[in-house]
Amino acid sequence: MAGFLDDVADMVRSPFFREIEVSELKAGDHIYCGRKLGFVYTHHGIYIGDGKVIHNMGKNGSGKKKACKSRPQCGYDGRGGLVETCVECFRATSGFLTGTKLYLFLYGVPKLECEIRLRTYCSPKQSKPADEVVAKAREMLESKRQGGTLWLFL
């Protein structure tokens, strides 16, 4: 039954969201993934290249609390706040995310279309150039700013 409901949820989402494969990611992409059956919660991050994402793990690492052991190059050590992890850890944050699909946050979407899509998944504003996005994400990570909404700076 769960498989059927997941398929229905995917069909409803498909016209409004841009699914992206890991192999298609480019540094500077604003990505997100969400909980199945309605996207009650979405988790956003900035892909910085080399299989890494900068994203917020919550104040106390309220999401995935264990260090990444599946990918030694990940470097995630279980801390909370703004972190750099592998894409797989990004997908697994908070334990209840599906870990199967990534979506690209869309910029430059016409205002009316963006209203239809819901602003959580797009913006009528243009994104800054990819190198500026990555530089800002790294700057925020290094200055240890906690709990910010990273994508507002794109």
Side-chain angles (χ1 to χ4, degrees):
M1 181 70 168
F4 171 75
L5 292 175
D6 292 338
D7 290 343
V8 170
D10 286 343
M11 285 189 297
V12 170
R13 283 194 296 260
S14 64
F16 299 106
F17 309 101
R18 167 91 179 3
E19 186 178 344
I20 190 164
E21 298 296 325
V22 174
S23 61
E24 298 175 284
L25 291 173
K26 296 182 290 260
D29 280 348
H30 174 170
I31 58 175
Y32 63 95
C33 53
R35 188 177 189 176
K36 286 190 177 184
L37 298 176
F39 266 39
V40 173
Y41 168 81
T42 55
H43 185 69
H44 294 251
I46 301 298
Y47 182 73
I48 59 169
D50 297 323
K52 301 276 187 102
V53 180
I54 293 177
H55 58 110
N56 193 336
M57 292 290 281
K59 258 185 173 177
N60 300 316
S62 56
K64 182 179 176 171
K65 293 182 181 175
K66 297 178 184 171
C68 181
K69 294 179 181 166
S70 61
R71 300 197 175 280
Q73 74 276 19
C74 173
Y76 178 61
D77 61 6
R79 286 179 292 151
L82 203 56
V83 296
E84 178 180 322
T85 70
C86 64
V87 173
E88 289 75 15
C89 282
F90 170 74
R91 288 178 173 184
T93 301
S94 298
F96 58 77
L97 296 176
T98 67
T100 57
K101 294 185 180 184
L102 289 174
Y103 295 89
L104 185 63
F105 189 93
L106 304 173
Y107 286 89
V109 175
K111 190 172 183 172
L112 180 59
E113 184 179 343
C114 195
E115 293 294 334
I116 293 168
R117 286 179 185 263
L118 304 175
R119 287 188 183 268
T120 305
Y121 313 112
C122 65
S123 172
K125 296 181 180 177
Q126 294 295 324
S127 176
K128 292 192 175 166
D131 60 334
E132 286 183 39
V133 172
V134 171
K136 184 65 175 180
R138 287 186 186 279
E139 175 188 322
M140 290 178 70
L141 179 66
E142 292 187 21
S143 69
K144 302 203 183 271
R145 291 169 91 175
Q146 304 292 313
T149 50
L150 188 59
W151 52 93
L152 293 178
F153 296 99
L154 304 180

